Amino acid sequence: MSRVCSVCGKGRMSGNQVSHSHRKTRRSWAPNVQKVKVNTPTGGVKEVYVCTRCLRSNKIDRA
């Protein structure tokens, strides 16, 4: 399962890992996503992955 924020869509980013001698190899950064329980508009509760930036800015209604 991919770790993608269900609110903003933030996912993996890729770039170069640069060594001291300036050699470059590919690497990736993963977002800090947490599995949280969210209230759905129909009145149920659902577990989704949400990034910590969205959690901190209260973009979801937690259960």
Side-chain angles (χ1 to χ4, degrees):
M1 179 190 312
S2 64
R3 304 292 177 127
V4 177
C5 178
S6 63
V7 178
C8 64
K10 184 184 290 186
R12 284 191 175 271
M13 292 186 66
S14 62
N16 287 324
Q17 178 174 342
V18 183
S19 69
H20 178 68
S21 62
H22 215 64
R23 293 186 62 168
K24 297 177 186 74
T25 55
R26 298 299 284 180
R27 62 157 291 181
S28 62
W29 289 266
N32 188 5
V33 291
Q34 308 291 322
K35 188 187 276 190
V36 295
K37 292 182 179 177
V38 177
N39 290 325
T40 59
T42 59
V45 176
K46 184 175 166 184
E47 273 193 344
V48 294
Y49 287 103
V50 180
C51 69
T52 52
R53 174 71 55 103
C54 292
L55 285 174
R56 193 171 61 193
S57 57
N58 289 325
K59 292 189 177 180
I60 59 164
D61 182 24
R62 291 186 78 163

